[in-house]
Amino acid sequence: MSASTTPKVLSTPNQHIASRFSFGVNEYLISDIGSSRSATKWLERQFAWSKLGDTKGDAVINWFPHLRDQPAKAWTNHQNEDHTAYAYGRDLCAYTLAMKVATRRQVREVMADVWSNLFYIPMGEGRSFPWRYSFDAMIRSRSLGSFRSLLRGAVLHPAMSGWLNNSSNTKYGINENLGRELLELFTVGRPAGYDEDDVKNSARILTGFRVKMFDSFAASYDPELHYVGRIRVLGFSHANSSKDGRTAVNAYLDYLARHPATATRIARRLCVRFVSDTPSSSIVSAVAKAYRASDTDIKATLRALVRHPDFQASKRKKVRTPIEDVVNAARVLGLRPTGCSTERSFPLHLLWMAEGVGQSQFGWPRPDGFPETSAIWASPARVLRSWNNHYDLAGNWWRSAEVYLPARKDQLPSAWPRALGQLVEHQARMLLGRGAPSDLQSAVASALNLPLAYEFNSAAEVTEWTWALIRGAVLNLPEGMLR
């Protein structure tokens, strides 16, 4: 962070877009928006993520070499206790948190988080862990494409086949798990009115996909195990007369992706994530309309969301989840992971901090994913624990390893002397993008037992304790936990 008398801040509309579509508005993101001239133009540049250089984000996977193990190797490592399913899961969690902090492709990362919570698979799960990083990479690569493509990729992936037992779903014995969740969670939802016959037919059409469980975990398609015969699900009908049913499967998934109930359900889910716990029918309808008009294009859908008046009216009305909070704090404080080779590594500390507040990355046990409404994350206990995390991060009190820590003098004003109140104001603008309210300034002065007018003559006079207390107190404002 460059030293300055007055840190650069974004206009309120730009700050709002950046806050909702990133994991924290830091100096690099402000610079990106400045070069784009507005947050809406920055959003368009982020949509074209493959054209954005991302040296820091691209380096993160190199810290977790086991994640790229082939499935057979991963299973062998687990059996030999060289690297267990839990260890693969922890690697994926730490990798994910490090990516949220480090990557320049923030919108892609936010949308990968959205879709990973829809097509949810928990960490270290025994039937999916050898394929879990591959699944994650697929989600990330399709996160800003079409929902049709994303749905195909997620439902037919070996990790999902293992997690929801589709690998044991054959014409000789139907397993309904994936067929049911495809309807209930991933697409149309219960209000669409499907019945048990629809669920069974949904499962039948998904037969034939195999994973060699608890062996090589090799994935394949076996036409001899595919159910042949006409399939009807809701308004979908297919002769399904070929032993190789993949053409029928793709037609079925496309039908579900384009279904009006799916459009409404995806629109509402996006509105809850980016706008309000109780989005209006107006914005849900507008977003669903864009989804259908664009043939499920995710970028077009998000544009409609951002253009709607309800989006700008929702400033600072969404509570960050514990994971979002620790990542945001790291980003705005200028902390950046540089590796993950020891138990004291910064990505692992972020993981444990979020766990301590009540949310572990990929730690939700059910296939419906973490709740995305604010109220669930606003208990007094959660707030208190997050306050402690803010101080821990502001002072690096966990003494994390493998983390870049910006020099204190580079994050303080360049002109001296400065009064205590001016330092609090400076840090509020730097960490929150807005000025410090008078009650915050008074609280910091009281905690330090100093008058607001007390002057520091140089950066060297700002002690580690003073520095951590000011920055932690700023992040502990309600605005510090809202996006």
Side-chain angles (χ1 to χ4, degrees), residues 436-458:
S438 59
D439 54 353
L440 170 66
Q441 296 192 26
S442 299
V444 171
S446 176
L448 292 172
N449 196 27
L450 294 172
L452 275 175
Y454 180 87
E455 287 193 341
F456 297 85
N457 293 307
S458 68

Side-chain angles (χ1 to χ4, degrees), residues 1 27 330 332-336 403-411 467 471:
M1 183 77 68
E27 62 164 331
V332 300
L333 289 167
L335 310 180
R336 189 179 71 248
V403 59
Y404 167 77
L405 300 171
R408 193 182 312 161
K409 65 180 180 62
D410 291 337
Q411 296 190 311
W467 179 238
R471 306 189 100 198

Side-chain angles (χ1 to χ4, degrees), residues 337-339 342 344-347 349 396 398-404:
T338 59
T342 76
R344 293 181 52 244
S345 294
F346 188 54
H349 283 180
N396 189 30
W398 283 33
R399 294 297 181 257
S400 299
E402 296 179 290
V403 59
Y404 167 77

Side-chain angles (χ1 to χ4, degrees), residues 255-429:
Y255 166 82
L256 290 177
R258 290 169 168 148
H259 197 285
T262 301
T264 299
R265 191 164 182 278
I266 295 301
R268 182 174 298 280
R269 191 176 184 97
L270 292 174
C271 289
V272 168
R273 172 67 180 248
F274 293 110
V275 182
S276 167
D277 285 3
T278 54
S280 70
S281 59
S282 172
I283 190 169
V284 172
S285 295
V287 174
K289 181 179 179 180
Y291 173 96
R292 295 187 68 191
S294 65
D295 196 19
T296 81
D297 182 73
I298 294 167
K299 295 185 289 294
T301 304
L302 293 176
R303 289 187 190 106
L305 184 151
V306 171
R307 284 196 303 264
H308 197 278
D310 286 6
F311 176 75
Q312 279 298 335
S314 70
K315 299 179 187 72
R316 298 185 185 273
K317 291 183 179 179
K318 288 292 292 183
V319 175
R320 289 191 178 95
T321 68
I323 288 172
E324 290 172 342
D325 187 61
V326 296
V327 172
N328 171 75
R331 282 178 58 83
V332 300
L333 289 167
L335 310 180
R336 189 179 71 248
T338 59
C340 194
S341 62
T342 76
E343 291 298 305
R344 293 181 52 244
S345 294
F346 188 54
L348 292 180
H349 283 180
L350 292 177
L351 178 62
W352 296 335
M353 285 182 185
E355 284 180 353
V357 181
Q359 187 186 28
S360 176
Q361 182 70 52
F362 301 129
W364 189 254
R366 303 192 314 241
D368 56 347
F370 283 104
E372 295 196 328
T373 51
S374 291
I376 199 74
W377 303 113
S379 71
R382 176 268 155 96
V383 171
L384 180 60
R385 290 168 183 169
S386 288
W387 284 351
N388 289 333
N389 281 343
H390 295 159
Y391 286 118
D392 290 338
L393 287 164
N396 189 30
W397 288 345
W398 283 33
R399 294 297 181 257
S400 299
E402 296 179 290
V403 59
Y404 167 77
L405 300 171
R408 193 182 312 161
K409 65 180 180 62
D410 291 337
Q411 296 190 311
L412 284 166
S414 55
W416 299 90
R418 308 298 290 180
L420 174 59
Q422 291 175 313
L423 290 185
V424 177
E425 172 73 13
H426 182 277
Q427 289 305 299
R429 290 175 66 84

